[in-house]
Amino acid sequence: MKRLLFYRRGGLGDTLLTFPVLEVLKSQGYKITVIGVKAYYQLAQKVGWVDEIYEDLYPQVLNQPYDLKIFFSKTEGFDPFPSERIWLVDYYFSCLNLPKKFSQILPVEGSTESILKNKVVLHPGSGSSKKIPDFLLFSMIEEFLNEKNIDYIYIVGEADKWIKDFTSNFWEVEDIEVLAKALKTARGFIGLDSGISHLASYLGVKSFIFFGPTDHIVWRPIGPNHTIITLGLKCSPCFPKTCSERPCLEPQNLFFKFLEKVDL
């Protein structure tokens, strides 16, 4: 069997956007070793697209006889970020000259006893505080859901402990596989540009995702059932050099945009 070494470190969203490449390479008969965040790549391993996972560039891993090495890094191989406004998945496939035939939905089975079953999941967190609007946005979304008699619950991840200061209606989870199996059963998802939003969309959950300072053209998630909500300001995208006012994340304007697009 042909052997391949794949390197791409990053957050959950960054990692999920590499999965289509791994799926296609696996279909070409490679035994795939990846170097990245193990907790994230284990999802790809569970669905059969990755064989081995390592967290770091260990010499005993690097020095194995590979038929192909693919690095997305600032110091080696391909730049992990495109120089133009192109979807990151398209950029990866262009760099590697691969056929772009991949699953639109991550093949994960839903949990039969999921706490999220038939609920709308809210996630107001993100890996950077620059992407997070005032909580007023989600307070207004709560009112909307209550008026519609739609059951909802907040997700609290490893970087989102602050959410517990705003609500007692939450489920705290850090295991990505457990979260994925639970999210699969949700009625819908509402969140920001974050790894959990990428996961919900990739699972095929109807998702409404707010983008402000980051570029939705580059960073949109995989999945056939997501809706991007953005104010479309001329000054966006600007991340990471965001202004202090951040009009792209003005809660009331985002909420009005949400009302125009929501279908739950």
Side-chain angles (χ1 to χ4, degrees):
M1 179 179 286
K2 299 178 294 183
R3 299 189 63 193
L4 182 148
L5 179 65
F6 184 90
Y7 175 92
R8 173 65 164 95
R9 294 196 63 85
L12 176 58
D14 306 276
T15 303
L16 290 172
L17 290 173
T18 69
F19 280 21
V21 169
L22 297 171
E23 179 186 4
V24 170
L25 289 169
K26 190 64 180 175
S27 72
Q28 294 181 351
Y30 285 100
K31 178 181 179 181
I32 300 177
T33 298
V34 298
I35 299 173
V37 180
K38 189 172 184 178
Y40 303 155
Y41 275 114
Q42 280 178 331
L43 272 179
Q45 189 175 42
K46 290 288 183 180
V47 300
W49 299 340
V50 164
D51 297 285
E52 298 176 319
I53 309 166
Y54 294 91
E55 290 272 357
D56 291 301
L57 296 164
Y58 300 114
Q60 63 268 35
V61 178
L62 291 174
N63 295 333
Q64 292 295 315
Y66 297 102
D67 297 281
L68 179 62
K69 291 184 180 180
I70 298 173
F71 277 60
F72 283 96
S73 166
K74 285 291 186 181
T75 59
E76 184 176 352
F78 302 101
D79 193 312
F81 308 112
S83 59
E84 56 183 319
R85 295 184 72 188
I86 179 176
W87 188 33
L88 201 58
V89 175
D90 287 338
Y91 169 68
Y92 290 152
F93 276 90
S94 176
C95 288
L96 301 173
N97 194 28
L98 290 173
K100 201 168 62 174
K101 297 180 180 179
F102 59 90
S103 303
Q104 288 293 316
I105 296 178
L106 189 64
V108 171
E109 293 292 327
S111 172
T112 56
E113 299 180 357
S114 168
I115 193 174
L116 307 181
K117 189 173 183 179
N118 298 325
K119 295 181 181 180
V120 171
V121 177
L122 306 179
H123 183 244
S126 182
S128 169
S129 60
K130 295 179 180 180
K131 304 178 188 178
I132 301 176
D134 190 282
F135 197 81
L136 174 62
L137 171 61
F138 282 85
S139 295
M140 290 188 288
I141 291 171
E142 281 190 49
E143 291 182 17
F144 167 81
L145 295 173
N146 285 328
E147 289 174 1
K148 299 291 185 181
N149 293 316
I150 297 174
D151 200 7
Y152 63 88
I153 188 171
Y154 282 87
I155 285 288
V156 174
E158 58 182 348
D160 304 318
K161 308 299 184 184
W162 60 269
I163 295 173
K164 295 188 285 185
D165 294 334
F166 291 87
T167 181
S168 59
N169 177 23
F170 65 84
W171 180 48
E172 189 169 4
V173 57
E174 296 187 7
D175 187 298
I176 300 301
E177 184 183 357
V178 171
L179 174 58
K181 289 181 176 180
L183 270 175
K184 187 77 174 184
T185 68
R187 172 175 175 173
F189 176 89
I190 303 170
L192 311 177
D193 175 19
S194 72
I196 292 179
S197 294
H198 275 270
L199 180 59
S201 177
Y202 202 178
L203 290 167
V205 178
K206 182 178 287 188
S207 302
F208 301 87
I209 303 171
F210 296 99
F211 275 75
T214 48
D215 194 342
H216 65 281
I217 293 176
V218 177
W219 294 103
R220 69 176 172 88
I222 305 164
N225 205 14
H226 70 266
T227 298
I228 301 296
I229 302 173
T230 175
L231 297 182
L233 302 183
K234 291 182 179 179
C235 57
S236 297
C238 63
F239 190 84
K241 298 179 179 180
T242 57
C243 65
S244 57
E245 295 83 5
R246 296 186 303 161
C248 57
L249 291 176
E250 202 286 316
Q252 289 185 323
N253 289 336
L254 284 175
F255 179 66
F256 292 145
K257 281 287 186 180
F258 168 76
L259 292 180
E260 292 174 4
K261 296 177 179 292
V262 66
D263 175 24
L264 287 168

